[in-house]
């Protein structure tokens, strides 16, 4: 599948920039979050209003007096995006606009933690919103503090590696399932390394009404501690090792959208990352065991 | 009356190419114009010219190396940026 | 046409006739009845959109979104609910988003109390939102209609305070302006700055130190200049509907020849007027100054009204813990502009529903004569 296969590349001469997220944003080199946003807007198109939570995605894109967003965009606070989006879409519909998509872009802190109440409310009301969580598994904007999206044992500045406690203790919230349990029409996970899968999910969400949620893994160069060139590679390895499953729950029915036949050893995913550097062989083996039990996919024979 | 609003797409004024330490160079002989580099470029600053191949806008390229890493035909190489 | 209605229902009727695009509410005593009635209007197809939010913080967030999209937006709350909106009030004002928040004024915990005072809205005085206080339910109805118009003219949020229970739950005959009349006074909102896919804009950008203070200073200046709009809208309303409340910012009651004046807000000012009437009958030169608009603070009008008076007392149902009462502090600053400055006293009372009777206010007038006094009464 090449350029014509819907990867979102532009066939253009010269240096014209016609993405709905302009260059000149100030994300760290190698940050995959702008890639996620760009493809979201690519699928949703110009008739889209972005509601952004306070996050890296906000500070890299909308530093006064400049903005990277070419669609209408609003940011107000950290915890309130699902309710802001509710207000936007309700007002649009009340004023006779029944076509514009309202999309939330928020990090895992806003989604799993501080904004979860507002999100739960919007889901319970089944507001006509698409919600994209770029999940970098910690509070990166404030300097890598743990969130309820941080995977167990990962080191963050507030789940440090101490003599008694070794990184994060609690498991990661199963957010896709939690959202689906609200009875919303669509809840899915995605990885940009599997771009056609991600875009198919976006297309599916776009065609539906009601609250639609997609959680996209978004490796963080400084937060996870790795070489910026491997952001996409890590997004891929997360799926290939079973750390990140690609699935969707449509009207309550779960379906794996991509399932590796055999899993790569999880060490391939963990070892390039500084946040897992402290792990002992026994801890890695424990993670591996957990993955095999959860996914029921056999480990690749080397 | 002065709300903190901004004009869309004006981030293009930030020439983030100045951040670059490593510079990607495209070997057009190897480039198959598949578009994968452009798809994954975090800056969205790679276009595919149907005649030549991947064109990188160095005004914005931060030199992350994703394009080189993801290129299936190894057409992009990273080398230390020589500052003028 | 006059209808005998509970204050909350009357205000809900007035809001309905303002044809908001989005109402977003969360129940909290004593403002709950307003939200209930709005949801009933929605159920009957008389309101375009009603959002049952899961918390007040989402009510105001929905207002931020609705207003940014160019809609007319309303919420109602009280006490902890308004406190829960705190950061969003600053944000809504800073983003210059018009909206109306009707507050059934109530005390703040702890201890828990559902009864009336003004600590809730006065705690939000620094937010950049306008604040109005209604003396009675007719004024609450009229202010709701005026507040939408003012808010949308100056692009700032408005808080309309009505005393919990004293107003929200009292029943009296009221004139609810007909929808056709309201439409003439308050046309559909037209906003040039909004979320519009045909004319994209980034709203709510963040500002580095070279810009931030400038934005905040502009907000202050614009809030101050809103006073002219508030007066104009009030006059326009008076012309069309025949009801007038002072000059829109303050109301002076027998102040011209008065030697002693009691200042207050909300329904307490009504009691103060009764107290002053009784004392006038006994030959005492007393009057009342009611602050109708607390933010922006009408310093100039207050200084003018108080110039040359012997004694002035501020009666308020709020306190700035560890300092002085807030309305008193503002009036103290205002009278520095008097040529002949009156002696200023402060009375704090009515917190958490503590009774404020006409007789108790008569006593305060008596205290003014004896000199400067600072008391919790």
């Amino acid at each position: 599948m090449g350029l014509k296969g819907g990867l979102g590349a532009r066939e253009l001469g010269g240096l014209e920039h016609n993405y709905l997220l302009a260059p000149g944003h100030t994300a760290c080199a190698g940050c995959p979050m702008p890639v996620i946003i760009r493809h979201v807007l690519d699928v949703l198109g110009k008739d889209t209003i972005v509601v952004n939570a306070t996050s890296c995605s906000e500070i890299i894109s909308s530093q006064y007096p400049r903005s990277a967003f070419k669609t209408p965009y609003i940011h107000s606070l950290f915890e309130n995006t699902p309710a802001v989006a509710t207000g936007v879409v309700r007002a649009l519909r009340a004023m006779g606009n029944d076509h514009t998509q309202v999309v939330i872009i928020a990090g895992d802190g806003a989604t799993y933690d501080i904004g979860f109440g507002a999100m739960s409310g919007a889901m319970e009301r089944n507001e006509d919103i698409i919600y994209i969580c770029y999940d970098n598994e910690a509070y990166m904007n404030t300097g890598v503090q743990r969130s309820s999206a941080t995977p167990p044992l990962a080191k963050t500045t507030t789940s440090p590696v101490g003599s008694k406690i070794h990184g994060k203790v609690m498991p990661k919230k199963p957010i896709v399932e939690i959202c689906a349990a609200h009875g919303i029409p669509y809840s899915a996970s995605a990885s940009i390394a599997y771009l056609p899968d991600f875009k198919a999910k976006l297309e599916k969400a776009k065609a539906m009404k009601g609250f639609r949620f997609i959680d996209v893994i978004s490796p963080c160069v400084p937060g996870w501690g790795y070489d910026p060139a491997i952001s996409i590679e890590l997004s891929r390895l997360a799926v290939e090792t079973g750390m990140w499953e690609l699935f969707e729950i449509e009207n309550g029915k779960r379906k794996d959208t991509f399932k590796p036949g055999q899993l790569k050893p999880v060490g391939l995913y963990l070892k390039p990352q500084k946040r897992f550097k402290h792990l002992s062989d026994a801890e890695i083996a424990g993670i591996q065991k957990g993955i095999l039990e959860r996914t029921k996919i056999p480990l690749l024979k080397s | 009356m002065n709300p903190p609003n901004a004009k869309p797409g004006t981030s293009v004024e930030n020439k983030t190419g100045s951040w670059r330490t490593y510079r990607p160079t495209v070997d057009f002989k190897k480039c198959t114009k598949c578009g994968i580099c452009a798809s994954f470029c975090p800056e969205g600053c790679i276009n595919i010219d149907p005649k030549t191949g991947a064109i990188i806008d160095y005004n914005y390229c931060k030199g992350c190396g994703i394009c080189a890493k993801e290129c299936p035909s190894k057409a992009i190489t990273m080398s230390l940026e020589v500052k003028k | 046409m006059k209808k005998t209605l509970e204050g909350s229902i009357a205000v809900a009727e007035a809001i309905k006739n303002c044809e908001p695009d989005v109402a977003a509410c969360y129940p909290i005593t004593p403002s709950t009845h307003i939200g209930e009635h709005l949801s009933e209007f929605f159920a009957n197809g008389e309101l375009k959109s009603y959002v049952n939010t899961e918390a007040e913080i989402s009510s105001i967030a929905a207002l931020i979104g609705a207003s940014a999209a160019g809609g007319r937006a309303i919420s109602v709350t009280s006490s902890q609910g308004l406190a829960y909106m705190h950061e969003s009030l600053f944000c809504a004002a800073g983003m210059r988003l018009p909206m109306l928040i009707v507050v059934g004024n109530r005390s703040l915990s702890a201890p828990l109390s559902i009864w009336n005072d003004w600590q809730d809205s006065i705690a939000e005085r620094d937010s950049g939102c306008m604040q109005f206080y209604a003396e009675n339910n007719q004024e609450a109805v009229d202010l709701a209609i005026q507040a939408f118009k003012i808010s949308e003219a100056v692009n700032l949020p408005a808080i309309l305070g009505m005393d919990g229970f004293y107003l929200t739950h009292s029943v009296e005959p009221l004139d609810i302006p007909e929808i056709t009349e309201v439409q003439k006074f308050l046309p559909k909102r037209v906003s040039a700055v909004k979320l519009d896919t045909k004319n994209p804009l980034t709203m709510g950008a963040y500002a580095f130190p070279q810009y931030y203070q400038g934005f905040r200073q502009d907000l202050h200046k614009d809030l101050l200049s809103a006073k002219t709009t508030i007066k104009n809208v009030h006059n326009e309303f008076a012309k069309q509907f025949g009801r007038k409340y002072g000059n829109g910012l303050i109301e002076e009651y027998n102040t011209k020849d008065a030697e002693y004046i009691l200042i207050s807000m909300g329904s307490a000012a009504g009691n103060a007027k009764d107290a002053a009437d009784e004392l006038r009958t006994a030959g005492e030169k007393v009057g009342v100054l009611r602050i109708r608009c607390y933010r922006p603070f009408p310093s100039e009008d207050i200084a003018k009204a108080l110039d040359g008076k012997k004694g002035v007392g501020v009666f308020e149902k709020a306190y700035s813990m560890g300092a002085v009462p807030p309305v008193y502090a503002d009036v103290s600053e205002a009278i520095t502009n008097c040529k002949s400055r009156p002696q200023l006293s402060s009375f704090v009372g009515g917190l958490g529903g503590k009774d404020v009777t006409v007789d108790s206010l008569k006593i305060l007038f008596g205290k003014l004569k004896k000199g400067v006094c600072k008391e919790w009464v």
Side-chain angles (χ1 to χ4, degrees):
Chain A
M1 199 180 275
L3 170 65
K4 288 104 198 158
L7 281 177
R10 289 293 195 271
E11 195 173 276
L12 285 171
L15 297 174
E16 191 187 339
H17 303 288
N18 64 352
Y19 294 111
L20 290 170
L21 186 77
H25 62 72
T26 54
C28 301
C31 177
M33 167 262 286
V35 187
I36 297 170
I37 297 174
R38 217 171 66 224
H39 290 294
V40 167
L41 296 179
D42 234 22
V43 173
L44 298 184
K46 281 184 180 167
D47 192 15
T48 302
I49 291 172
V50 173
V51 180
N52 199 187
T54 308
S55 60
C56 283
S57 60
E58 173 244 339
I59 62 130
I60 62 117
S61 65
S62 63
Q63 181 191 324
Y64 182 84
R66 291 169 190 165
S67 172
F69 281 92
K70 293 191 194 170
T71 59
Y73 165 102
I74 181 170
H75 158 257
S76 63
L77 294 164
F78 194 2
E79 74 293 339
N80 67 359
T81 23
V84 173
T86 296
V88 172
V89 76
R90 292 289 195 104
L92 292 178
R93 303 298 182 251
M95 295 185 293
N97 173 334
D98 60 357
H99 49 83
T100 298
Q101 291 278 4
V102 177
V103 64
I104 290 171
I105 292 166
D108 52 286
T111 307
Y112 287 63
D113 291 349
I114 195 169
F116 187 73
M119 188 188 182
S120 179
M123 290 193 287
E124 186 268 335
R125 297 187 304 266
N126 198 24
E127 301 289 351
D128 196 15
I129 296 165
I130 297 178
Y131 193 122
I132 307 293
C133 171
Y134 70 96
D135 190 344
N136 52 30
E137 304 190 321
Y139 292 89
M140 298 317 187
N141 198 16
T142 45
V144 201
Q145 293 82 24
R146 66 89 94 178
S147 75
S148 60
T150 306
L153 297 173
K155 178 190 165 187
T156 70
T157 53
T158 52
S159 61
V161 178
S163 58
K164 300 240 167 68
I165 304 170
H166 226 205
K168 196 203 179 194
V169 177
M170 301 307 291
K172 183 180 171 101
K173 268 190 198 172
I175 197 76
V176 177
E177 290 90 338
I178 291 170
C179 291
H182 282 74
I184 58 169
Y186 192 73
S187 185
S189 67
S191 159
I192 39 158
Y194 294 79
L195 205 45
D197 176 81
F198 179 35
K199 296 188 106 171
K201 284 168 178 164
L202 286 165
E203 291 285 3
K204 194 175 238 183
K206 185 186 180 183
M208 297 170 110
K209 292 263 174 215
F211 200 100
R212 295 143 285 170
F213 175 75
I214 305 177
D215 191 29
V216 194
I217 187 172
S218 184
C220 173
V221 177
W224 294 12
Y226 63 85
D227 171 4
I230 66 165
S231 283
I232 307 300
E233 178 68 9
L234 280 180
S235 306
R236 188 178 297 117
L237 278 168
V239 175
E240 290 174 339
T241 59
M243 279 293 277
W244 189 269
E245 293 177 69
L246 293 180
F247 65 104
E248 62 187 11
I249 304 172
E250 195 178 338
N251 296 314
K253 235 180 122 183
R254 185 188 156 122
K255 188 185 135 198
D256 291 313
T257 58
F258 173 79
K259 205 169 182 175
Q262 290 174 306
L263 294 179
K264 286 188 178 172
V266 73
L268 290 178
Y269 174 71
L270 301 174
K271 284 187 175 154
Q273 302 181 44
K274 283 203 186 106
R275 63 175 176 158
F276 293 119
K277 208 177 146 195
H278 59 285
L279 296 189
S280 65
D281 288 348
E283 282 168 326
I284 295 176
I287 295 173
Q288 186 68 74
K289 190 165 165 268
I291 293 172
L292 295 174
E293 281 170 7
R294 171 169 49 79
T295 60
K296 307 206 171 36
I297 303 173
L299 198 60
L300 187 71
K301 294 197 179 75
S302 48
Chain B
M1 276 278 303
N2 196 6
N5 297 340
K7 281 197 186 123
T10 44
S11 63
V12 291
E13 290 162 36
N14 305 327
K15 299 290 191 283
T16 51
S18 63
W19 299 14
R20 196 170 51 247
T21 307
Y22 292 93
R23 182 185 184 89
T25 308
V26 182
D27 181 347
F28 292 119
K29 280 182 218 130
K30 288 186 185 168
C31 176
T32 64
K33 310 179 185 83
C34 71
I36 285 174
C37 56
S39 296
F40 290 135
C41 171
E43 314 315 315
C45 70
I46 305 179
N47 286 328
I48 307 298
D49 186 314
K51 286 186 197 117
T52 49
I55 307 287
I56 297 166
D57 189 342
Y58 293 102
N59 283 313
Y60 302 105
C61 169
K62 294 170 188 163
C64 69
I66 286 178
C67 53
K69 173 83 185 159
E70 294 298 320
C71 175
S73 46
K74 306 273 171 245
I76 305 174
T77 48
M78 303 299 292
S79 53
L80 202 62
E81 180 74 35
V82 183
K83 301 270 178 197
K84 279 169 198 159
Chain C
M1 192 186 68
K2 287 221 173 189
K3 288 186 196 171
T4 302
L5 289 173
E6 184 191 271
S8 293
I9 302 173
V11 166
E13 293 259 7
I15 290 166
K16 181 195 72 182
N17 290 352
C18 292
E19 299 177 283
D21 295 292
V22 177
C25 309
Y26 185 82
I28 183 167
T29 304
S31 64
T32 313
H33 289 182
I34 308 174
E36 284 175 357
H37 283 275
L38 290 176
S39 72
E40 206 172 304
F41 296 139
F42 179 57
N44 291 324
E46 296 173 285
L47 201 66
K48 286 181 237 170
S49 196
Y50 183 87
V51 187
N52 282 295
T53 61
E54 77 299 326
E56 291 88 352
I57 194 164
S58 286
S59 301
I60 184 154
L63 265 50
I64 287 173
S67 184
R72 182 167 292 158
I74 166 87
S75 185
V76 300
T77 192
S78 295
S79 178
Q80 313 300 136
L82 187 66
Y84 201 17
M85 292 183 179
H86 176 73
E87 62 164 343
S88 314
L89 295 169
F90 282 67
C91 186
M95 290 177 76
R96 307 308 184 93
L97 297 172
M99 60 182 69
L100 175 60
I101 299 152
V102 178
V103 176
N105 283 114
R106 165 186 149 181
S107 55
L108 287 167
S109 282
L112 176 67
S113 160
I114 60 162
W115 308 102
N116 168 251
D117 63 39
W118 310 327
Q119 291 183 88
D120 53 359
S121 49
I122 283 196
E124 306 304 339
R125 67 182 184 212
D126 301 336
S127 64
C129 299
M130 295 179 287
Q131 288 199 16
F132 305 99
Y133 290 81
E135 181 185 329
N136 51 50
N137 282 332
Q138 186 62 62
E139 188 178 22
V141 164
D142 296 347
L143 252 175
I145 300 164
Q146 290 174 39
F148 272 123
K149 184 158 176 147
I150 296 162
S151 173
E152 289 168 18
V154 301
N155 286 310
L156 289 170
I159 290 170
L160 161 51
M162 54 191 294
D163 284 314
F165 297 108
Y166 296 130
L167 297 188
T168 55
H169 287 60
S170 67
V171 178
E172 52 186 320
L174 297 165
D175 181 37
I176 312 293
E178 298 292 336
I179 192 160
T180 47
E181 288 299 311
V182 177
Q183 281 167 343
K184 279 183 220 158
F185 178 76
L186 179 72
K188 224 172 154 177
R189 183 180 166 211
V190 181
S191 176
V193 182
K194 64 177 173 184
L195 297 169
D196 177 3
T197 53
K198 289 195 188 73
N199 188 17
L201 176 77
T202 286
M203 298 179 87
Y206 74 102
F208 264 29
Q210 71 265 40
Y211 296 113
Y212 179 86
Q213 188 169 312
F215 278 120
R216 300 306 286 178
Q217 199 176 355
D218 275 358
L219 174 58
H220 168 64
K221 284 185 196 157
D222 290 346
L223 193 53
L224 286 181
S225 45
K227 288 183 206 177
T228 313
T229 311
I230 295 164
K231 281 183 173 176
N232 291 344
V233 169
H234 168 260
N235 290 339
E236 210 183 308
F237 186 91
K239 216 182 215 175
Q240 189 182 334
F241 297 95
R243 283 188 295 275
K244 204 169 166 9
Y245 303 91
N247 69 3
L249 296 172
I250 63 165
E251 184 194 352
E252 294 183 64
Y253 187 78
N254 290 336
T255 53
K256 295 291 172 244
D257 67 336
E259 291 171 344
Y260 298 96
I261 288 177
L262 197 59
I263 297 180
S264 200
M265 310 200 298
S267 64
N271 284 5
K273 286 177 186 174
D274 288 345
D277 281 347
E278 288 185 22
L279 293 171
R280 278 262 169 190
T281 321
E284 298 196 31
K285 289 189 168 174
V286 293
V288 172
L289 189 153
R290 178 167 74 92
I291 297 171
R292 185 177 186 257
C293 171
Y294 174 59
R295 284 290 181 273
F297 193 71
S299 300
E300 304 83 356
D301 297 85
I302 289 172
K304 212 172 138 198
L306 300 183
D307 209 343
K309 304 299 177 195
K310 282 188 183 159
V312 172
V314 181
F315 175 79
E316 62 196 294
K317 301 183 192 176
Y319 208 88
S320 178
M321 298 299 164
V324 295
V327 184
Y328 164 80
D330 290 336
V331 173
S332 303
E333 196 281 329
I335 61 169
T336 58
N337 296 314
C338 291
K339 282 190 207 90
S340 166
R341 227 182 273 184
Q343 285 195 321
L344 189 63
S345 294
S346 160
F347 305 107
V348 172
L351 296 196
K354 190 168 188 282
D355 220 2
V356 181
T357 62
V358 173
D359 283 344
S360 68
L361 293 172
K362 273 162 75 180
I363 295 169
L364 302 190
F365 277 109
K367 289 188 179 189
L368 290 182
K369 283 192 200 162
K370 290 181 191 142
V372 174
C373 177
K374 287 177 189 174
E375 277 184 34
W376 289 62
V377 294

